[in-house]
């Protein structure tokens, strides 16, 4: 069975993020004569398409090959060159990613410098299209959409953890909003870990009681209730793949299928069999999803 995973950014509200492409895309096409020594005032995501680029960032030297991506953080001095006989081609995009106003989201994360993109087979044609269609002196709405896809793919593969407090101090409501988002992301990516909710609360830089209240105020559930909701969302995906309710119960950690069915109905408002029947009706042309009022009620359940 294919693993059902979650992005670390899956639970970040779209309205909380501000992506800015600070200059037009750089269509890298570098011969053996190319050499660059630079420091950028913003983040720079570099994706290699052909050839091989050599880089030195601080004391760290590495190569970037097709299907690999690296992040150069703002203020980092780096050197790049091509030692090969052929062209080194790829895409570089300068950007900033804010969350809850001016908070720098990238600065809150520990990320691997370089990764091989695990979804490269599907991303490669998009990267090539982005590179070839990018205007030389401007940015477009479509670029914003596509670049967010590339950035999320990189973060998914490069993410090591949240930095405690981040590298930039954040105060007031934005700080607690960010702390709740980090905890929700941690829970939603590992909902089958029995300790994940407690660990997320423990790692938050706030009193436990205060953080529980803040979490529930923002998400409508306590951390443990939110974890259970995420488990049931995982169960929904498995049911939609054709697994039986008893198989799904075992897959998400329930030894008693009957208890799983009760828990699923309590969280989702429908039994596991009922959900599968709803999926079947949708396949036959009927609407499966909820409208806005139903969705709001479901998300607001305790």
């Amino acid at each position: 069975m294919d693993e059902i995973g979650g992005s670390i950014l899956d639970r970040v509200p779209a309205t909380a993020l501000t992506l800015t492409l600070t200059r037009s895309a750089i269509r890298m096409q570098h011969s053996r004569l190319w050499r660059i020594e630079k420091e950028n005032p913003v983040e720079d995501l570099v994706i290699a398409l052909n050839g091989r680029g050599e880089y030195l960032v601080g004391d760290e030297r590495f190569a970037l090959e097709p299907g690999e991506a690296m992040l150069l953080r703002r203020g980092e001095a780096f050197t790049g060159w091509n030692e090969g006989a052929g062209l080194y081609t790829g895409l570089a995009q300068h950007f900033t990613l804010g969350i809850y106003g001016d908070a720098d989201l990238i600065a809150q994360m520990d990320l691997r410098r370089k990764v091989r993109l695990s979804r490269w087979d599907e991303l490669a044609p998009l990267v090539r299209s982005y590179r070839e269609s990018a205007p030389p002196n401007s940015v477009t709405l479509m670029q914003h959409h596509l670049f967010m896809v590339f950035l999320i793919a990189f973060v998914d593969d490069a993410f090591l953890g949240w930095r405690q407090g981040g590298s930039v101090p954040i105060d007031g409501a934005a700080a607690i909003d960010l702390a709740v988002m980090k905890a929700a992301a941690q829970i939603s990516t590992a909902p089958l870990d029995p300790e994940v909710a407690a660990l997320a609360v423990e790692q938050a830089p706030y009193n436990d009681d205060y953080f529980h209240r803040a979490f529930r105020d923002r998400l409508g559930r306590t951390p443990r209730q939110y974890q259970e909701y995420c488990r049931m969302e995982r169960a929904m995906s498995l049911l939609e793949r054709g697994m039986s309710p008893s198989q799904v119960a075992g897959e998400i950690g329930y030894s008693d299928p009957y208890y799983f069915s009760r828990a699923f109905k309590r969280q989702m408002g429908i039994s596991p069999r009922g959900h599968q029947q709803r999926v079947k009706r949708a396949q036959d042309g009927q609407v499966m999803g909820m409208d806005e009022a139903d969705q709001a009620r479901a998300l607001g359940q305790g």
Side-chain angles (χ1 to χ4, degrees), residues 68-276:
E68 294 181 334
M70 72 167 178
L71 177 72
L72 295 166
R73 292 181 183 269
R74 63 182 67 187
E76 283 188 325
F78 69 96
T79 303
W81 68 97
N82 177 11
E83 293 182 350
L87 289 176
Y88 166 49
T89 68
L91 168 73
Q93 180 66 66
H94 293 193
F95 72 97
T96 63
L97 186 65
I99 184 165
Y100 299 117
D102 296 329
D104 178 1
L105 183 56
I106 298 298
Q108 310 301 317
M109 300 178 179
D110 279 325
L111 299 167
R112 294 181 179 88
R113 166 76 63 195
K114 181 191 82 165
V115 297
R116 177 165 295 279
L117 295 168
S118 60
R119 295 167 48 206
W120 182 241
D121 286 348
E122 62 186 271
L123 290 173
L126 297 178
V127 173
R128 290 191 173 91
S129 175
Y130 185 100
R131 180 180 183 275
E132 296 306 318
S133 64
N137 297 307
S138 61
V139 296
T140 67
L141 180 62
M142 184 59 72
Q143 281 181 272
H144 277 78
H145 287 307
L146 272 180
F147 183 73
M148 183 60 87
V149 172
F150 305 154
L151 183 57
I152 288 174
F154 174 81
V155 169
D156 284 348
D157 290 332
F159 187 79
L160 295 172
W162 295 107
R163 292 182 174 180
Q164 293 301 313
S167 62
V168 179
I170 302 172
D171 299 317
I176 187 63
D177 286 342
L178 184 60
V180 169
M181 182 277 292
K182 288 180 179 180
Q186 184 174 351
I187 292 168
S188 66
T189 52
L192 307 188
D193 179 352
E195 304 301 324
V196 69
L199 183 62
V201 173
E202 179 183 326
Q203 292 177 345
Y206 295 95
N207 169 274
D208 285 1
D209 289 339
Y210 172 74
F211 188 70
H212 270 92
R213 290 195 301 272
F215 192 102
R216 180 160 189 164
D217 286 347
R218 286 157 178 79
L219 296 184
R221 293 175 167 84
T222 67
R224 286 202 176 277
Q225 289 169 342
Y226 183 72
Q227 179 182 359
E228 186 67 4
Y229 183 76
C230 291
R231 287 177 78 192
M232 294 308 161
E233 285 192 321
R234 182 76 57 92
M236 289 181 78
S237 296
L238 296 173
L239 290 165
E240 290 165 16
R241 292 183 177 196
M243 293 179 67
S244 70
S246 60
Q247 289 174 318
V248 173
E251 194 71 23
I252 69 166
Y254 281 86
S255 58
D256 185 344
Y258 175 71
Y259 184 70
F260 159 69
S261 293
R262 290 181 58 194
F264 186 93
K265 187 170 185 178
R266 183 172 62 251
Q267 289 286 341
M268 300 304 179
I270 192 171
S271 70
R273 291 288 185 196
H275 178 65
Q276 288 184 316

Side-chain angles (χ1 to χ4, degrees), residues 5 18 35 45 235 279 302:
T18 305
R35 184 179 180 88
L45 183 66
V279 171

